[in-house]
Amino acid sequence: DTGVSQDPRHKITKRGQNVTFRCDPISEHNRLYWYRQTLGQGPEFLTYFQNEAQLEKSRLLSDRFSAERPKGSFSTLEIQRTEQGDSAMYLCASSLDRVNSPLHFGNGTRLTVT
Amino acid sequence: AQSVAQPEDQVNVAEGNPLTVKCTYSVSGNPYLFWYVQYPNRGLQFLLKYITGDNLVKGSYGFEAEFNKSQTSFHLKKPSALVSDSALYFCAVRDAAFSGSARQLTFGSGTQLTVLP
C-alpha cells in the first residue's frame, strides 16, 4: 500500500533557521494539500495544489512559508526564519480530482523550533 | 464561510456500549461531510463520508454516521465500542459548490474518545 509519505517525521531546529519538508502523494492523486495541526486542535488548511498549480493559499501561510510542486508529483514546504510559533505537526494529504473525494493523509512532520 | 463544531472535547464510554461523537456544521450550500480518526503521532485516517442520498452512511471499522439536514448535524456512531476505538476523531465539511475558499476541507477541533475496558 503506497500511501502518502512525508519526510522527515521529526525536525528540531533553532529559531531563525530554514527548514524544508517533503511530501510524496499517492501516485494517481493530482490534488495535494498541506495542513498544520497544533496540539489539541484540528488540522488547519495551508495550501492546495492541483497538479503543479498552487490554486489557493491560506492567510496562515505567511511570506516565510513557500510550497512547491514542480512536476505535479511530490511537494515541498519550506519555512524560512523559523519562529517558535511555527512548532506544529505539518500534514500533507492527497486526493483524486473529484470534489467529494476523501483526503488521504501522511503521518506528518513534527517540527519543534527551540 | 464553512465551519464545524465538535461540542465535546472528550467522550468516555465503556467497552461494548454504543458510542456517539457529535458534530454540527455550517456551509452556505450543500455539505460534503467526512469523519476521520487520528491515532497518536499519526496522520488522519478516513472513516466515512456523506455526499448525497441515504442519511445513514456506513464506514470503516463498524462506524456509521447519520446526516440530519434540519439540525445541520453529522454524528458518528458505533453500536458496540472497542478499546481499540480509543483515538481522536475529527469531523470535516466541504461546501459542495467547491469554489473559492471552499476548496479545502474544514475540520473541527476534535473529540478524544476513550473506551474503558
Side-chain angles (χ1 to χ4, degrees):
Chain A
D1 179 16
T2 53
V4 178
S5 176
Q6 291 189 247
D7 184 70
R9 288 296 311 276
H10 304 274
K11 179 70 176 178
I12 300 174
T13 191
K14 293 185 178 180
R15 188 164 51 106
Q17 297 295 303
N18 298 344
V19 294
T20 300
F21 310 142
R22 178 181 170 119
C23 171
D24 287 90
I26 294 172
S27 57
E28 59 265 32
H29 288 180
N30 57 2
R31 291 184 179 167
L32 187 147
Y33 303 78
W34 285 98
Y35 280 80
R36 181 172 70 186
Q37 185 180 23
T38 53
L39 202 61
Q41 298 297 317
E44 297 173 296
F45 171 76
L46 292 178
T47 190
Y48 151 67
F49 290 85
Q50 179 138 342
N51 301 311
E52 67 276 8
Q54 188 174 19
L55 295 187
E56 189 172 351
K57 294 193 289 186
S58 161
R59 290 178 210 165
L60 292 175
L61 214 66
S62 76
D63 56 4
R64 295 185 298 106
F65 287 70
S66 62
E68 293 182 343
R69 194 182 182 196
K71 295 182 179 178
S73 55
F74 73 92
S75 175
T76 57
L77 177 68
E78 181 183 16
I79 308 175
Q80 296 181 326
R81 305 181 303 281
T82 52
E83 301 173 356
Q84 287 187 321
D86 297 332
S87 296
M89 175 79 89
Y90 289 84
L91 294 168
C92 177
S94 68
S95 77
L96 292 169
D97 191 13
R98 288 195 292 270
V99 66
N100 59 10
S101 292
L103 272 59
H104 296 261
F105 283 84
N107 285 329
T109 294
R110 181 167 296 284
L111 173 66
T112 303
V113 182
T114 62
Chain B
Q2 57 197 34
S3 65
V4 174
Q6 293 182 241
E8 301 158 318
D9 292 337
Q10 174 85 37
V11 169
N12 295 329
V13 64
E15 188 175 28
N17 283 2
L19 69 87
T20 298
V21 182
K22 295 179 181 177
C23 170
T24 59
Y25 66 89
S26 174
V27 292
S28 55
N30 291 318
Y32 291 154
L33 293 155
F34 302 80
W35 276 101
Y36 287 82
V37 60
Q38 187 176 33
Y39 296 96
N41 297 313
R42 302 295 296 273
L44 281 69
Q45 294 178 30
F46 168 70
L47 279 180
L48 53 79
K49 66 180 180 182
Y50 170 81
I51 303 302
T52 187
D54 199 352
N55 288 344
L56 185 66
V57 293
K58 295 187 182 296
S60 307
Y61 312 119
F63 284 94
E64 57 190 28
E66 187 169 11
F67 171 65
N68 187 317
K69 187 172 185 177
S70 62
Q71 297 185 2
T72 62
S73 68
F74 188 57
H75 301 329
L76 181 70
K77 301 182 180 186
K78 187 173 183 180
S80 178
L82 300 172
V83 172
S84 57
D85 293 330
S86 298
L88 191 56
Y89 289 81
F90 291 98
C91 182
V93 70
R94 174 188 280 156
D95 194 315
F98 200 66
S99 61
S101 63
R103 285 193 181 94
Q104 75 277 16
L105 276 182
T106 298
F107 287 84
S109 56
T111 299
Q112 179 66 49
L113 172 67
T114 300
V115 181
L116 305 167

